[in-house]
């Protein structure tokens, strides 16, 4: 049994006690000075995390709403758009552009493989009129982090607008919005920010603003100009998800106390430990080596294992909640989230529970090799010496 | 001084202790059984409040996002749409339709006056191709409740789709979505529902679904079909504002414990008391008699009173936060919210504070007439006998 759920999906992520308490506060006027101060602190803090001097806008929506804002503000019906994709969230971004009438040029890679910068260069050469390039930083569905710096460089060298889905990466995985030439980056409060879902963060470059003025898609709720105009008055155009703003403020303080460099290192360490644990238990890591995500690990199950039976047992007996596959990988994959308020002991608990469950499901005896592999990884023992 | 802010704006509304505590809970999987149960309870409860058997969809956005969903799902570029308006939120609804390329026919009334059903009938006769009619139930900017039953009847008799902004009315002011022939009604969690902002509620009739299939505006995040498909699986298409869902669940339980009829009566009682108090203090009620809102009272200040000085003094010295005017009435009006978790004593405190502030601002001596008027109103003494 368990007294505290181990929420190990790739978002929403667990809320630290401090963040939970930050929401335990009376409601405030969203057009008053108290909210203005919170908005200013979130905006400034998020800018430091995004590594940008660009405008940073807050929208009350999921991350997908933030992505839709990018399409609605940059793309006109009939515009050619290049979507580089290698998983379900890349597909979603492409579908979003198509819903707005864009002529979507798909640069598609196998799930589990990264988008290749050279291929992006080539497709941009072949499509000189595609002004906007849609990239996914961390492909949550396959547990893969694309080589964003190189992809952004390829797109910027071809003088395109670089729009990045950073929903599940920003604040957990290194990104340099300005230095890498990213025009628009989007994240969501329920990921590494350690806050609940409800707010999307969107950074907008000067070049993106120039395009925004020209773009002719309908937009109102997601209109960036409105968001910017009201932000300058310390407000949002429409009533914001106030408790999530309280939580973002506290989560950002925690990120800065830990230090962004250490946050990145912790996520990398937890990813390596999770990978080691799952491999020791007979799982096959899904994403290509070298591109495995620091926020979510995807793995194919050992032969004979029913993924839904595993997830159910983990949940009911051990209080461990992990994700399954998405889209065409539904039921065929496990995905273990390790982003936000997660530490080494949490990985130990998850891998230990999976090991016990594998024995109960008659897949393999629980001989402690999972936890041993996690321990060795955390202690920095190279895999070869284990 | 004050220890507890009196948040008397027309939303976000104060959170009852029970609702606050309901959010003080670890994060959960938005695709797991726990969230599915919450979604089902909210949907069923909201249906009872809307008085509808139609689909009831939850979107993570402000109320305006819910209104945008109505436009995006029902209106195609170039469609003629009738917008009946008498204030800032009616203007917003019309602007939303215009942003989606609709040919908006404006049926406009003076601020403070209601929309006249006979005029709606006439304009619909003159515009037989306007399939969609946009109505505002409670015009928050002027503190006025439109005669929705009659307006909806006029539109339905002309075989139009009736779309209602019920953001600040539903759950506080009587509405009968199905009996009145309303095809789409929209509300927001931060109003009478006693929850924080972050969720919009949208009811969709069979006739609206028929139109939805034909409408050709871009939609993705706000696509109703996606919301319905996922709701049938106990989920939302995109990550929802989970803490607001916790709060909605608890707020709905409180509404049902009190009983919807009693909730309506309480709001009517508080409105009468607020009106009586403000009039006794020399304010001039702004909305036409007979149409004054039960959720927010608007009033013009007594001669010589600087509204922003009043609001500042109320906030800093008495912890009473009231709203000012919007749009063309900015700085010229006060608006006192009395919706959601508000009781008689709260009105007493607000009127008392305003009375003290008027003396401090050299407008009128504080002789207790404000509280006396509130008391008489609450006790049911007719104004003439006071």
């Amino acid at each position: 049994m368990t007294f505290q759920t181990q929420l190990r999906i790739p978002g929403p992520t667990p809320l630290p006690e401090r963040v939970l308490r930050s929401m335990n506060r009376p409601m405030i006027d969203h057009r008053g000075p108290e909210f203005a101060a919170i908005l200013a602190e979130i905006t400034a803090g998020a800018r430091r995390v995004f590594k940008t001097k660009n405008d940073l806008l807050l929208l009350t929506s999921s991350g997908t709403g933030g992505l839709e804002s990018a399409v609605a503000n940059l793309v006109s019906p009939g515009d050619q758009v290049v979507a580089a994709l290698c998983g379900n969230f890349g597909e979603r971004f492409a579908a979003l552009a198509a819903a707005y009438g864009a002529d979507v040029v798909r640069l598609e890679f196998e799930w589990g493989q990264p988008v290749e910068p050279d291929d992006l260069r080539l497709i941009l050469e072949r499509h000189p009129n595609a002004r906007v390039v849609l990239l996914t930083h961390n492909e949550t569905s396959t547990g893969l982090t694309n080589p964003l710096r190189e992809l952004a460089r390829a797109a910027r060298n071809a003088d395109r607008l670089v729009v990045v889905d950073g929903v599940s990466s920003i604040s957990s995985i290194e990104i340099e919005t300005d230095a890498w030439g990213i025009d628009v980056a989007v994240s969501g409060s329920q990921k590494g920010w350690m806050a609940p879902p409800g707010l999307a963060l969107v950074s907008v470059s000067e070049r993106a603003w120039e395009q925004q003025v020209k773009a002719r898609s309908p937009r109102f709720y997601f209109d960036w100009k409105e968001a910017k105009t009201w932000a300058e008055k310390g407000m949002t155009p429409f009533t914001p998800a106030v408790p999530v703003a309280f939580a973002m403020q506290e989560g950002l303080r925690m990120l800065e106390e830990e230090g962004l460099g250490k946050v990145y290192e912790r996520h990398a360490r937890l990813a390596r430990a999770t990978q080691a644990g799952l491999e020791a238990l007979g799982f096959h890591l899904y994403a290509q080596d070298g591109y495995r995500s620091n926020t979510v690990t995807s793995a194919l199950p050992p032969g004979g294992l029913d993924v839904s039976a595993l997830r159910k047992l983990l949940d009911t007996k051990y209080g461990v909640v992990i994700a399954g596959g998405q889209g065409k990988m539904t039921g065929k994959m496990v995905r273990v989230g390790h982003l936000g308020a997660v530490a080494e002991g949490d990985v130990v608990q998850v891998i230990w529970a999976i090991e016990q469950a594998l024995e109960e499901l008659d897949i393999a005896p629980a001989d402690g090799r999972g936890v041993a592999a996690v321990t060795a990884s955390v202690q920095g023992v190279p895999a070869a010496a284990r």
Side-chain angles (χ1 to χ4, degrees), chain A:
Chain A
M1 69 167 294
T2 179
F3 288 99
Q4 186 154 354
T5 298
Q6 281 276 344
L7 189 64
R8 290 285 85 79
I9 57 175
T13 60
L15 301 179
E17 185 61 31
R18 269 175 66 180
V19 171
L20 253 187
R21 265 185 279 126
S22 76
M23 295 196 292
N24 194 6
R25 205 188 299 184
M27 186 47 58
I28 59 172
D29 182 0
H30 63 303
R31 307 226 175 273
E34 202 178 346
F35 184 78
I38 292 169
L39 183 61
E41 184 176 333
I42 292 174
T43 304
R47 274 208 190 99
R48 288 190 291 271
V49 175
F50 276 65
K51 304 264 173 65
T52 187
K53 294 193 157 54
N54 291 335
D55 288 304
L56 197 297
L57 308 174
L58 237 68
L59 305 170
T60 290
S61 72
S62 78
T64 300
L67 299 177
E68 177 152 340
S69 82
V71 172
N73 282 274
L74 296 177
V75 177
S76 302
D79 276 5
Q80 213 170 55
V81 164
V82 168
L85 54 96
C86 57
N88 206 42
F89 284 91
E91 291 287 352
R92 181 184 285 184
F93 214 174
L96 236 168
Y100 274 75
D103 169 14
V104 180
V105 178
R106 292 165 60 92
L107 174 63
E108 196 174 349
F109 291 82
E110 283 296 308
W111 285 35
Q113 303 296 313
V115 174
E116 289 287 348
D118 283 340
D119 291 305
L120 180 61
R121 243 183 302 275
L122 286 172
I123 207 163
L124 292 178
E125 275 173 27
R126 283 204 300 274
H127 296 89
N129 295 324
R131 180 91 192 98
V132 170
V133 179
L134 306 179
L135 302 174
T136 308
H137 189 193
N138 190 66
E139 179 48 78
T140 315
S141 69
T142 64
L144 179 139
T145 303
N146 276 305
L148 181 60
R149 187 198 308 242
E150 291 72 26
L151 294 171
R153 187 186 298 139
R156 275 301 280 265
N157 285 347
D159 195 30
R160 312 306 165 93
L161 280 172
V162 183
V163 181
V164 174
D165 171 352
V167 171
S168 66
S169 63
I170 302 175
S171 75
S172 306
I173 297 175
E174 190 190 13
I175 188 169
E176 298 257 2
T177 299
D178 291 353
W180 296 359
I182 295 163
D183 292 293
V184 176
V186 177
S187 192
S189 53
Q190 79 279 17
K191 304 290 186 178
W193 307 89
M194 302 188 281
L199 288 176
L201 303 106
V202 185
S203 77
V204 181
S205 74
E206 199 44 60
R207 297 165 80 235
W209 281 115
E210 286 163 21
Q211 172 80 1
Q212 200 261 0
V213 174
K214 291 180 279 182
R216 288 286 161 263
S217 282
R219 54 185 190 238
F220 192 90
Y221 185 73
F222 289 131
D223 189 274
W224 287 345
K225 187 73 193 166
E226 283 293 302
K228 181 177 158 80
T229 303
W230 285 86
E232 282 161 4
K233 297 185 279 186
M235 303 183 213
T236 55
F238 313 111
T239 315
V242 175
V244 186
F246 291 156
M248 280 282 309
Q249 181 185 38
E250 192 66 24
L252 269 163
R253 288 176 183 175
M254 292 180 69
L255 283 175
E256 300 212 321
E257 286 168 21
E258 185 177 356
L260 206 50
K262 291 203 169 154
V263 171
Y264 293 159
E265 282 168 27
R266 173 167 55 82
H267 282 83
R269 208 161 56 237
L270 298 178
R272 287 193 301 268
T274 305
Q275 292 159 15
L278 286 173
E279 282 201 301
L281 295 178
F283 287 80
H284 178 74
L285 299 180
Y286 185 72
Q288 186 181 311
D289 195 13
Y291 298 93
R292 289 174 188 150
S293 169
N294 286 347
T295 59
V296 53
T297 295
S298 60
L300 304 176
L305 176 62
D306 176 345
V307 166
S308 46
L310 171 70
R311 290 179 61 207
K312 190 170 179 189
L313 182 59
L314 286 174
D315 185 1
T316 52
K317 183 158 180 185
Y318 298 97
V320 169
V321 180
I322 65 172
Q326 286 189 326
K328 65 183 179 188
M329 293 305 291
T330 301
K332 299 179 186 162
M333 183 198 272
V334 298
R335 291 180 304 139
V336 179
H338 33 77
L339 72 165
V342 186
E344 283 79 355
D346 298 310
V347 175
V348 170
Q349 187 173 147
V350 169
I351 296 295
W352 177 84
I354 294 176
E355 186 164 350
Q356 308 311 306
L358 290 182
E359 174 161 305
E360 288 171 67
L361 294 168
D362 286 328
I363 301 296
D367 57 8
R369 68 198 183 289
V371 170
V374 171
T375 306
S377 170
V378 169
Q379 291 176 345
V381 181
R386 273 177 224 156

